[in-house]
Amino acid sequence: MSPTYDVIVIGLGGMGSAAAHHLSARGARVLGLEKFGPVHNRGSSHGGSRITRQSYFEDPAYVPLLLRAYELYDDLARATGREIAILGGGVMVGRPDSRTVAGALRSAREWDLPHEMLDAREIRRRFPTLTPRDDEVALYEKKAGLLRPENTVAAHLQLATRQGAELHFEEPMIRWEPYRDGVRVHTAEDSYTAGQLVICPGAWAPRLLTDIGVPCRIERQVMYWFQPRNGVRPFLPENHPIYVWEDAHGVQVYGFPAIDGPGLGAKVAFFRKGTETTPETIDRTVREEEIRAMADHMSGCIPDLPGTFLKAATCMYSTTPDEHFVIARHPAHPDSVTVACGFSGHGFKFVPVVGEILADLALTGTTAHPIGLFAPARLAAAPAPGART
């Protein structure tokens, strides 16, 4: 039997890597187990960029966590010397009563966040790459921008290792069970015991967390990179913001400036317009009709963007019925197991603060952060989420 650890962390993607860092930083003896290699592209923490924003249209309750996440991202960049965030500003675009605009404005006002409201004419003047309809407006947030997911995961793993965490890659958990005053975890390689278990399963939540009463839909999502028609200069971060753009039918797209050089283009994707899948059956092939649908949609709002298609990549969203996270002690094992799932679509920007919360819960059983919204009991009787169009 391997030596006993204070905490075993299952999954070392965005949330798990952050948990391993925060736990080991507090002196805990940590074992991390990951199904794939470090900083892999088989889940949800890859793709070169993720949006971050504070005027949060999903719910104002997230804003305090975002403010703390911004502080922790700064700490992470300083501690590792890695590029973590590029905060070049961002716009939430749509009709004034759209979820994207009205929700962002609600959060900005409730938390007194710096922002500007722009009409269509002012959007075009400030950001010539964008061509909104006359009835569309935007909330502009100077502190919005993008995060580097691979760098973030690598940085958390780097710090966790430096702080003494033992990280095992290509060693997935087979099962776990209560054991004495803690847990025992089995892999194909060995069995390990610990006082606490933290499970960050990502898209594997439906299989690994069947007993917490949370229906979770796994969706295949596609990210696209296009070379702009007139070159990348107008799409550089100093000229082109990150954006979430909702059309009159409620379809949202999101996108980024060109951040990786002249030949790598700008990234764009539909937001929550995926198809149901599983980690084992996901179709990684991106077809011509999908590329055309993305290009056709973007031609109506950013005409110069879909110039030349460069590449595409798939990832997976794990989505709860109300699209809010699950962060809590395990309902059936509240003394020894902490769970974190259902983040996809808008979770990566919270990675460092979720790691801090998971360390709190595992080591003390509670946290000062506001996480009441994320209790699994709210979903115990909910049906499985359907696709949103």
Side-chain angles (χ1 to χ4, degrees):
M1 179 71 67
S2 297
T4 298
Y5 299 90
D6 294 321
V7 187
I8 297 174
V9 178
I10 303 300
L12 294 173
M15 306 306 174
S17 63
H21 158 52
H22 284 283
L23 286 161
S24 57
R26 300 183 196 185
R29 293 171 296 168
V30 176
L31 171 65
L33 297 174
E34 167 56 49
K35 181 180 181 69
F36 301 106
V39 198
H40 63 83
N41 65 354
R42 310 304 291 173
S44 304
S45 298
H46 61 282
S49 56
R50 288 289 187 275
I51 283 177
T52 189
R53 48 194 166 87
Q54 295 181 356
S55 300
Y56 216 59
F57 65 76
E58 287 85 348
D59 196 304
Y62 286 87
V63 174
L65 299 179
L66 285 163
L67 298 178
R68 177 57 177 158
Y70 270 58
E71 295 173 346
L72 292 171
Y73 276 121
D74 285 345
D75 292 346
L76 188 64
R78 284 192 296 269
T80 62
R82 296 177 184 268
E83 181 182 66
I84 302 297
I86 302 174
L87 303 181
V91 287
M92 305 298 108
V93 186
R95 291 180 173 179
D97 61 350
S98 66
R99 182 191 187 202
T100 302
V101 175
L105 183 58
R106 177 186 170 202
S107 283
R109 287 174 171 170
E110 184 168 324
W111 291 98
D112 196 25
L113 301 173
H115 68 282
E116 298 177 62
M117 293 303 301
L118 312 178
D119 61 19
R121 182 177 179 180
E122 183 64 9
I123 297 169
R124 298 184 198 109
R125 188 189 71 80
R126 291 249 204 126
F127 308 111
T129 52
L130 311 184
T131 59
R133 294 166 51 98
D134 289 341
D135 62 349
E136 292 180 319
V137 300
L139 182 144
Y140 172 71
E141 180 187 327
K142 186 176 181 180
K143 290 186 177 181
L146 64 93
L147 302 167
R148 294 293 205 171
E150 289 89 348
N151 284 2
T152 300
V153 174
H156 280 135
L157 295 177
Q158 174 186 338
L159 293 181
T161 302
R162 183 189 301 172
Q163 293 152 183
E166 185 178 329
L167 307 180
H168 294 190
F169 298 96
E170 309 287 347
E171 188 176 349
M173 177 182 72
I174 297 174
R175 71 183 190 279
W176 67 272
E177 62 201 10
Y179 180 76
R180 296 180 180 172
D181 294 329
V183 297
R184 179 162 56 189
V185 173
H186 300 276
T187 74
E189 306 297 324
D190 208 339
S191 295
Y192 309 95
T193 60
Q196 296 288 322
L197 178 64
V198 174
I199 305 177
C200 302
W204 286 261
R207 184 168 65 83
L208 296 182
L209 295 176
T210 57
D211 54 350
I212 65 170
V214 175
C216 202
R217 174 187 170 96
I218 308 305
E219 298 178 8
R220 171 186 177 269
Q221 302 287 339
V222 183
M223 303 170 281
Y224 304 83
W225 284 259
F226 290 94
Q227 183 73 4
R229 184 171 289 111
N230 294 314
V232 298
R233 181 173 294 278
F235 288 83
L236 295 177
E238 59 266 30
N239 301 319
H240 181 74
I242 65 94
Y243 54 91
V244 179
W245 199 318
E246 181 175 343
D247 71 11
H249 305 288
V251 176
Q252 294 167 299
V253 294
Y254 65 95
F256 302 82
I259 54 174
D260 291 316
L264 297 179
K267 175 183 163 187
V268 66
F270 286 110
F271 186 44
R272 298 193 183 283
K273 196 181 178 184
T275 56
E276 191 164 3
T277 189
T278 71
E280 294 75 27
T281 62
I282 182 173
D283 184 356
R284 301 281 182 181
T285 301
V286 179
R287 290 168 174 77
E288 287 295 328
E289 57 267 27
E290 295 179 287
I291 299 168
R292 282 197 304 272
M294 186 80 260
D296 289 347
H297 189 98
M298 296 311 300
S299 65
C301 50
I302 309 180
D304 284 344
L305 179 57
T308 303
F309 170 72
L310 297 175
K311 65 175 182 176
T314 57
C315 69
M316 290 178 285
Y317 282 10
S318 51
T319 305
T320 63
D322 60 8
E323 299 177 0
H324 295 310
F325 309 154
V326 172
I327 308 174
R329 297 292 266 174
H330 194 299
H333 306 278
D335 295 328
S336 57
V337 182
T338 302
V339 298
C341 66
F343 294 101
S344 289
H346 64 126
F348 197 88
K349 57 187 69 63
F350 297 90
V351 156
V353 70
V354 170
E356 189 170 65
I357 291 167
L358 295 175
D360 290 344
L361 294 176
L363 297 180
T364 71
T366 188
T367 181
H369 289 294
I371 62 169
L373 181 62
F374 311 135
R378 77 187 195 275
L379 296 171
R388 203 181 78 182
T389 58

